């Protein structure tokens, strides 16, 4: 089949995206150019998002604080719309922890054996900081049946969480791995309350929201009256607004919360960094510029801060099926405001716009455009975009189209274990056990420490053995 057999459709699509705001990339000083803001409606349409709010701060200037589109209930998104931070709350918590360290109020190296009178023997030598980067080995709590009862009881506390997890064996030796666990945050809050005589909510007010004047930023469960004492408050469930986030970023830049250089030095210390996760913060280096932050709620909320440039970016949406738009927009705004870049148009915009087209059109478009000199798209995120599109098609029940897209991604990015893992899932959903098995074995070749691939191989082999 000729590569461009549907040339008219492809030409029309390329023209449409090009006319939607594509501009030549030219050098510019760090600061806003407006290109990303102009592209937001187009990206929302392509990603299938009805509404969001955005804040961009540089120094003491609010570059952007506004809403786009509507909330789930049909009311407009604005800069003062209350939005959930979900696990992006941990970015706010990392600012508070850095402030506590700077003020000498906590010792990150203190061992749990000395901080807890009845700490299990296996916990004795675990330093406090391992509670915050998920390397303590302390087991998960939120997926246990006991936690449901605690969450339903408005008077339960983090001490009740501690009583459950202290009786369980460690998931792994401290420092051996990093697995996303909320338990450590509950224990850290309990220790701080005991040692400092203040609740986590009080510490956030003292070290973050009061210095920033961010009165609308609060723990949702307490503000609604659902609880008297929050559980795992530093791990999630805070609400904020774009206006409040602008105030928080400005307070950070002014040193009213913590010195930005100190914040960067603490969070990027090698011993705290495990595979890009530090003390409540996901670390990302973008073109040599170090950023801290977190995302949450199935990527509904993203907070990213560039201490060395005084740039803060946050994007919030109430759309769970936002296809990572908040994460992508945050990166584009960081590039624009901190690096002076006007990014090329995301290839995901073109791909997601082709969602209803046959997969063969996606293949033809991607192969032609990615090899064309001067293509107006940023193919640096092509692997992610193809993977996301494949899962979108999979969720729609279009198994063959999903596999076609996953296969394209595997050809384009043959050394990516994640791509082959997704391809294996696509084959399995389609019922092609032999092909799925080959894909997962390829995952193991590329990532011998993969935890998912061995489980899937075992599952598929059992399914094959059960066949007539």
């Amino acid at each position: 089949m000729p590569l461009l057999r549907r040339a008219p459709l492809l030409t029309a699509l390329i023209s449409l995206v090009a006319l939607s705001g594509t501009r030549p990339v030219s050098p510019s000083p760090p600061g806003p150019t407006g290109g990303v803001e102009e592209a937001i409606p187009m990206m929302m349409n392509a990603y299938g998002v009805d509404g969001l709010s955005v804040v961009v701060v540089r120094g003491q200037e609010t570059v952007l604080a506004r809403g786009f589109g509507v909330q789930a209930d049909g009311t407009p998104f604005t800069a003062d719309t209350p939005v959930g931070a979900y696990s992006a709350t941990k970015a706010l918590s990392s600012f508070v922890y850095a402030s506590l360290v700077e003020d000498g109020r906590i010792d990150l190296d203190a061992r749990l054996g000395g901080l807890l009178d009845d700490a299990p023997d296996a916990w004795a030598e675990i330093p406090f900081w391992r509670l915050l980067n998920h390397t303590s080995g302390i087991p998960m709590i939120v997926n246990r049946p006991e936690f449901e009862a605690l969450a339903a009881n408005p008077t339960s506390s983090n001490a009740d969480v501690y009583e459950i997890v202290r009786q369980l064996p460690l998931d792994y030796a401290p420092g051996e791995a990093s697995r996303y666990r909320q338990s450590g945050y509950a224990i850290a809050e309990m220790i701080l309350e005991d040692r400092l005589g203040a609740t986590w909510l009080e510490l956030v007010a003292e070290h973050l929201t009061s210095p920033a004047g961010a009165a609308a930023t609060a723990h949702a469960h307490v503000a609604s009256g659902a609880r008297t004492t929050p559980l795992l408050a530093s791990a999630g469930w805070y609400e904020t607004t774009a206006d409040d986030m602008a105030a928080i970023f400005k307070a950070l830049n002014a040193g009213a919360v913590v010195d930005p250089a100190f914040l960067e030095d603490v969070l990027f210390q090698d011993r705290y960094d495990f595979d890009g996760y530090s003390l409540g913060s996901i670390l990302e280096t973008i073109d040599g510029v170090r950023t801290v932050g977190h995302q949450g709620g199935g990527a509904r909320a993203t907070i990213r801060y560039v201490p060395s440039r005084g740039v803060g970016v946050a994007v919030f949406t109430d759309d769970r099926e936002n296809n990572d738009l908040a994460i992508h927009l945050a990166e584009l705004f960081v590039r624009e405001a901190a690096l002076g870049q006007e990014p090329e148009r995301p290839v995901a915009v073109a791909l997601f716009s082709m969602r209803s087209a046959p997969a063969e059109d996606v293949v033809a478009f991607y192969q032609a455009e990615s090899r064309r000199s001067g293509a107006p798209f940023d193919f640096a995120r092509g692997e992610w975009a193809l993977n996301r599109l494949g899962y979108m098609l999979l969720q729609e029940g279009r198994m063959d189209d999903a596999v076609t897209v996953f296969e394209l991604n595997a050809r384009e990015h043959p050394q990516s274990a994640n791509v082959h893992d997704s391809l294996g899932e696509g084959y399995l959903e389609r019922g092609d056990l032999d092909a799925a098995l080959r894909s997962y074995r390829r995952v193991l070749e590329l990532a011998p420490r993969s935890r998912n691939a061995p489980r899937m191989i075992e599952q598929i082999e059992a399914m094959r053995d059960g066949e007539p």
Side-chain angles (χ1 to χ4, degrees):
M1 182 181 299
L3 180 64
L4 294 176
R5 69 178 180 85
R6 299 178 187 266
L9 174 61
L10 295 176
T11 301
L13 175 65
I14 295 167
S15 299
L16 172 64
V17 177
L19 289 172
S20 299
T22 299
R23 302 177 182 175
V25 177
S26 59
S28 60
T33 62
V36 180
E37 181 181 359
E38 293 173 6
I40 288 177
M42 173 184 66
M43 294 181 69
M44 288 172 58
N45 181 63
Y47 282 69
V49 173
D50 292 326
L52 52 81
S53 61
V54 179
V55 58
V56 181
V57 165
R58 188 166 188 268
Q60 295 303 308
E61 176 192 6
T62 299
V63 176
L64 177 65
R66 61 169 290 194
F68 295 80
V70 297
Q71 304 173 60
D73 62 5
T75 58
F77 255 106
T78 67
D80 60 1
T81 296
V83 289
Y86 309 101
S87 284
T89 294
K90 294 183 181 68
L92 305 179
S93 297
S94 70
F95 304 152
V96 174
Y97 272 111
S99 179
L100 289 168
V101 173
E102 185 180 44
D103 290 353
R105 301 188 68 184
I106 60 173
D107 178 6
L108 293 175
D109 289 321
R111 276 16 186 195
L112 297 189
L115 296 172
L116 300 166
D117 293 336
D118 54 353
D121 291 342
W123 295 25
E125 293 304 313
I126 298 176
F128 182 90
W129 58 265
R130 288 203 185 279
L131 298 175
L132 307 180
N133 73 347
H134 307 297
T135 62
S136 68
I138 294 172
M140 177 76 85
I141 181 63
V142 296
N143 63 346
R144 298 186 65 83
E146 302 96 314
F147 185 74
E148 295 181 13
L150 295 183
N153 181 356
T155 63
S156 59
S157 68
N158 288 316
D160 297 314
V161 173
Y162 171 64
E163 286 303 318
I164 294 174
V165 296
R166 68 184 293 271
Q167 301 177 51
L168 303 173
L170 294 176
D171 282 349
Y172 50 85
E176 183 181 84
S178 177
R179 296 180 196 161
Y180 199 71
R181 300 286 188 264
Q182 312 288 23
S183 314
Y185 287 79
I187 296 163
E189 292 171 34
M190 184 185 72
I191 291 172
L192 291 182
E193 184 168 3
D194 177 60
R195 297 285 164 163
L196 301 182
T199 66
W200 181 255
L201 300 189
E202 292 168 337
L203 292 172
V204 171
E206 179 184 355
H207 287 264
L208 183 66
T209 55
S210 291
T217 300
H219 191 278
H221 292 178
V222 175
S224 67
R227 296 193 59 83
T228 55
T229 306
L231 299 175
L232 297 85
S234 57
W237 295 290
Y238 262 77
E239 287 186 344
T240 187
T241 66
D243 283 339
D244 258 28
M245 283 307 307
I248 288 172
F249 288 138
K250 289 178 183 179
L252 285 167
N253 292 338
V257 174
V258 59
D259 180 80
F262 183 86
L263 170 70
E264 183 177 18
D265 288 344
V266 168
L267 295 185
F268 273 90
Q269 279 194 34
D270 287 342
R271 60 179 175 153
Y272 303 146
D273 177 0
F274 195 106
D275 288 344
Y277 200 101
S278 184
L279 308 178
S281 192
I282 298 172
L283 309 177
E284 291 183 5
T285 299
I286 301 174
D287 282 358
V289 174
R290 302 196 298 188
T291 77
V292 301
H294 213 290
Q295 61 207 43
R300 281 176 282 180
T302 298
I303 297 172
R304 193 124 301 271
Y305 179 57
V306 190
S308 65
R309 304 293 177 93
V311 168
V313 174
V315 184
F316 304 97
T317 177
D318 60 359
D319 190 340
R320 180 179 289 274
E321 301 299 327
N322 68 86
N323 297 307
D324 292 354
L325 176 58
I327 295 173
H328 197 177
L329 271 177
E331 179 187 332
L332 294 179
F333 273 118
V334 166
R335 290 184 177 277
E336 184 176 68
L339 301 174
Q341 298 178 1
E342 186 169 1
E344 298 167 298
R345 289 289 165 261
V347 67
V349 169
L351 293 177
F352 294 174
S353 297
M354 299 183 72
R355 184 171 173 175
S356 61
E360 291 82 359
D361 290 349
V362 175
V363 173
F365 164 79
Y366 193 93
Q367 291 181 330
E369 285 300 294
S370 63
R371 291 155 176 74
R372 181 169 70 87
S373 175
F377 304 105
D378 173 16
F379 284 90
R381 291 174 64 90
E383 176 185 333
W384 170 87
L386 286 171
N387 219 46
R388 171 60 71 180
L389 177 61
Y391 277 110
M392 290 164 71
L393 297 174
L394 206 59
Q395 291 167 4
E396 294 174 2
R398 295 167 56 187
M399 306 302 179
D400 290 339
D401 281 345
V403 167
T404 296
V405 171
F406 286 141
E407 288 176 336
L408 168 63
N409 211 9
R411 291 195 299 272
E412 294 290 322
H413 306 95
Q415 300 304 309
S416 170
N418 183 61
V419 165
H420 288 281
D421 187 278
S422 299
L423 178 57
E425 185 174 346
Y427 283 137
L428 187 59
E429 287 287 333
R430 196 171 68 175
D432 193 339
L433 300 185
D434 289 339
L437 195 58
R438 287 195 298 271
S439 289
Y440 284 115
R441 284 173 175 165
R442 179 58 178 157
V443 172
L444 273 184
E445 292 175 5
L446 296 170
R449 297 180 65 182
S450 167
R451 297 176 60 83
N452 184 57
R455 288 196 296 263
M456 297 308 301
I457 290 172
E458 181 179 357
Q459 175 183 328
I460 294 169
E461 288 178 338
M463 292 171 66
R464 289 204 313 176
D465 291 343
E467 291 178 352

